[in-house]
Amino acid sequence: MSVLVLGGAGYIGSHAVHQLIDQQTKVIVIDNLQTGHQDAIHPQAVFYEGDIKDITFMRHVFRNESIDAVFHFAANSLVGESVEKPLEYFDNNVYGTQVLLQVMKEFDLKKIVFSSSAATYGEPEDVPITEDMSTNPSSPYGETKLMMEKIMKWCDIAYGIRYVALRYFNVAGARRSGIIGEDHQPETHLVPIILQAALGQRDHITIFGDNYDTADGTCIRDYIHVEDLIEAHILALDHLNKGGRSETFNLGSNQGFSVKEMIEAAHTVTGKEISVKTGERRAGDPSILIASSKKATALLGWKPTRTSIETIIQDAWNWHANHPNGYLKDVTPK
Ligand code: UDP
């Protein structure tokens, strides 16, 4: 079995590569290193540096390698940034996926597991969110993920390319061994930002709005451990390998934590003081997102095991405390 991982140098993609290699799968990685890190790539993976929008490059990789299935993580993924740069998001995420599917069609590759997002729902009609609820993205990012799902649907009907779309809720944590983890430049995600404040690398964390219609006024999210998330991708691939049809699944923990609760939990786990300020709401943020992952449990047999918020923060903390500068090796001035 050989899997092509697009975006295999990024936070979530690199965890997928490690977990696939753990189970003896051959892995080929494509990454343009725009946000990914060379050092996050597993040394046993075959690595091609390039952009998925470059069809000549993509054909070259598909010609060179024998590939059974694709895991597609290569996308821009920041809600706030997407509101400011929608065209960049449509280009990288939607057009990039079109090129990928074109090449998959040409090379007769029929199986793909890909990152979708809870951002496809927008402000949800109810929580917990089930896959049949309406999708009204409140950001260009969410819109690109919904468009990617729709393109996949039509490519299945026309060309028989079967897919599993996985709608991630808030992914956090790091590989238990602590050798890879989350490192975005600049960092925008809540858990790493809280931990950078705990490490003294930031003097405070700003809460984006405390006037939401929630118990403590701050946004509620459903946090899922990156290793549990990748386990679902591996089960999704089994589903496709067994001839299963195209499906969409939510991946979350079925529990919500507010921004304030996350800061409190991080204080408990790290024992460090975390200074907090309150700022404006961030554009595109829904107030509450909590998944129902019953469908993934029922159809894929998915059973997340690292669901406690303390475990998720502890694993992230192991990575951040041991790699305070992420993948940057030498930060001492010469
Ligand atoms: N958030 C915050 N301050 C920060 C970063 C994030 O209050 O410095 C909030 C953000 O408004 C959202 C939640 O934390 O409600 C999770 O944001 P993140 O960017 O981690 O993930 P997203 O929900 O955008 O996928």
Side-chain angles (χ1 to χ4, degrees), residues 57 66 121:
F57 162 73
S66 132
Y121 294 106

Side-chain angles (χ1 to χ4, degrees), residues 77-80 141 169-170 188-193 205-209 212 218-221 223 259 282 285-287 289:
S77 61
L78 304 178
V79 169
Y141 167 65
F169 283 64
N170 285 65
T188 65
H189 292 106
L190 183 67
V191 172
I193 285 181
I205 146 129
T206 303
I207 296 179
F208 296 148
Y212 284 95
T218 65
C219 286
I220 292 177
R221 293 287 181 275
Y223 294 86
V259 176
R282 184 174 67 179
D285 268 347
S287 57
L289 292 172

Side-chain angles (χ1 to χ4, degrees), residues 240-268:
L240 293 176
N241 282 339
K242 284 188 216 134
R245 61 171 196 200
S246 296
E247 294 283 358
T248 301
F249 297 100
N250 288 339
L251 298 180
S253 301
N254 308 274
Q255 51 186 356
F257 292 91
S258 73
V259 176
K260 282 187 180 164
E261 287 171 334
M262 292 299 284
I263 296 169
E264 195 44 49
H267 169 64
T268 308

